[in-house]
Amino acid sequence: MGKVIAITNQKGGVGKTTTAVNLSACLAYIGKRTLLIDCDPQGNSTSGYGFEKDDYELSVYDCLVDPEKLRDAILKTKYDGLYLIPSAAALSAAEIELALEDDRERFLKKAIDKVKDEFDYIIIDAPPALGMITINIMTACDSVLIPIQCEYYALEGLSQLVGTIRKIKKAYNRRIEIEGVLGTMYDGRTNLSIQVLDEVKKYFPDLVYKSIIPRNVRLSEAPSFGEPIIEYDRTSKGADAYMSLAKELVRKNGG
Ligand SMILES: Nc1ncnc2c1ncn2[C@@H]1O[C@H](COP(=O)(O)OP(=O)(O)O)[C@@H](O)[C@H]1O
Ligand SMILES: [Mg+2]
């Protein structure tokens, strides 16, 4: 059975998409069959692999409307063992459409369950909001990986996020747990980054990954080439860091 990991933090710009794209590429690189589901209507994970959102007959939106369609929505990337379900602008309408349905929190879960045993890892890139899509994501996943930007206001909103996870656990998904907390855009030359990471470790004892993602310009350049960092610049610090994260995550999950 594959493990479904959602990359969540309702704050924008903290490195969710960068982590979703590069973690899944590294997982595939180390031999894990991986599916990335782009659940952000902005579709940055989709373009991060060089796909155009809205270019495909089926997107994650269609899978939410009709779970039977999920298998047909899967695109093969040019990397071995790495697959993508693209986003589409239409996904933003799902926020409202889902709210009107019975069983509205389970649509994504129903869809993912159909292919769960065909992958080692299913990674979900989440939108920067705590709406119906995020509730569907949290109901469908086994765990959440929380990226935290090592800068001002990093801890802002975290208690709300943890509160939401707790509520989801009670109401919809008893399995859900925090997979890990990832420091991103870390700059070891500044006291601020060091202090923020210390605060995060106090807030989440034992959950913070040893792997830390540095601020690295190569990571911000790679998406405009439609490539994950291990393809764009394998020798960069960013590539090292995401490879180290993938290995740490796999190790924590028993290999
Ligand atoms: N470690 C990093 N070093 C440098 N730039 C980064 C890093 N992580 C993310 N970025 C850049 O910061 C911006 C926000 O990151 P993104 O992953 O899109 O965040 P989110 O998905 O949480 O909104 C993007 O322009 C991205 O390229
Ligand atoms: Mg994003």
Side-chain angles (χ1 to χ4, degrees):
M1 230 6 173
K3 184 161 198 191
V4 183
I5 302 175
I7 316 293
T8 50
N9 186 333
Q10 75 275 24
K11 278 180 82 158
V14 298
K16 287 185 291 299
T17 298
T18 305
T19 298
V21 166
N22 292 306
L23 172 62
S24 36
C26 291
L27 286 169
Y29 186 81
I30 58 180
K32 302 294 173 189
R33 215 175 132 81
T34 302
L35 171 65
L36 173 62
I37 307 181
D38 186 355
C39 281
D40 185 345
Q42 295 213 350
N44 294 336
S45 274
T46 303
S47 52
Y49 278 162
F51 291 92
E52 286 287 336
K53 81 168 179 183
D54 298 322
D55 252 15
Y56 302 91
E57 200 181 321
L58 294 174
S59 73
V60 67
Y61 173 74
D62 303 281
C63 309
L64 277 172
V65 176
D66 178 1
E68 295 295 334
K69 294 212 167 116
L70 185 118
R71 189 181 308 273
D72 292 333
I74 296 176
L75 303 173
K76 200 178 172 337
T77 71
K78 58 182 175 178
Y79 309 102
D80 277 349
L82 183 59
Y83 299 81
L84 169 76
I85 296 183
S87 177
L91 184 59
S92 49
E95 270 316 331
I96 293 158
E97 290 169 17
L98 284 171
L100 304 171
E101 299 281 342
D102 293 332
D103 225 15
R104 54 186 154 257
E105 67 285 346
R106 281 183 210 282
F107 279 64
L108 186 64
K109 177 174 170 48
K110 281 184 211 154
I112 290 178
D113 279 352
K114 295 191 186 302
V115 299
K116 206 175 167 184
D117 55 356
E118 293 167 32
F119 295 94
D120 296 307
Y121 289 97
I122 297 178
I123 305 294
I124 307 178
D125 187 14
L130 290 175
M132 274 320 301
I133 295 174
T134 297
I135 291 174
N136 264 265
I137 292 170
M138 287 189 181
T139 303
C141 73
D142 297 305
S143 62
V144 297
L145 189 160
I146 305 173
I148 294 182
Q149 185 180 353
C150 298
E151 286 184 3
Y152 283 118
Y153 308 121
L155 300 170
E156 199 185 65
L158 275 186
S159 53
Q160 200 191 356
L161 178 59
V162 170
T164 303
I165 295 169
R166 209 172 283 142
K167 281 182 201 149
I168 296 275
K169 194 178 183 81
K170 246 188 180 160
Y172 306 131
N173 181 5
R174 259 184 292 158
R175 289 185 326 278
I176 193 171
E177 56 181 14
I178 297 178
E179 177 74 33
V181 176
L182 178 67
T184 65
M185 301 184 227
Y186 183 82
D187 182 349
R189 295 166 306 180
T190 67
N191 284 331
L192 181 64
S193 268
I194 298 165
Q195 281 164 11
V196 167
L197 201 63
D198 280 346
E199 285 295 310
V200 171
K201 284 179 185 159
K202 270 186 218 149
Y203 195 93
F204 293 106
D206 308 325
L207 283 174
V208 180
Y209 288 110
K210 292 205 172 63
S211 313
I212 297 167
I213 311 302
R215 186 168 272 290
N216 176 230
V217 70
R218 306 300 266 168
L219 281 170
S220 58
E221 291 166 358
S224 42
F225 295 86
E227 288 176 348
I229 190 69
I230 47 168
E231 176 80 7
Y232 178 65
D233 185 351
R234 192 161 296 186
T235 63
S236 63
K237 287 206 166 113
D240 278 352
Y242 275 109
M243 193 56 87
S244 148
L245 172 68
K247 289 179 182 159
E248 185 176 354
L249 186 147
V250 168
R251 221 181 303 123
K252 270 186 158 181
N253 281 283

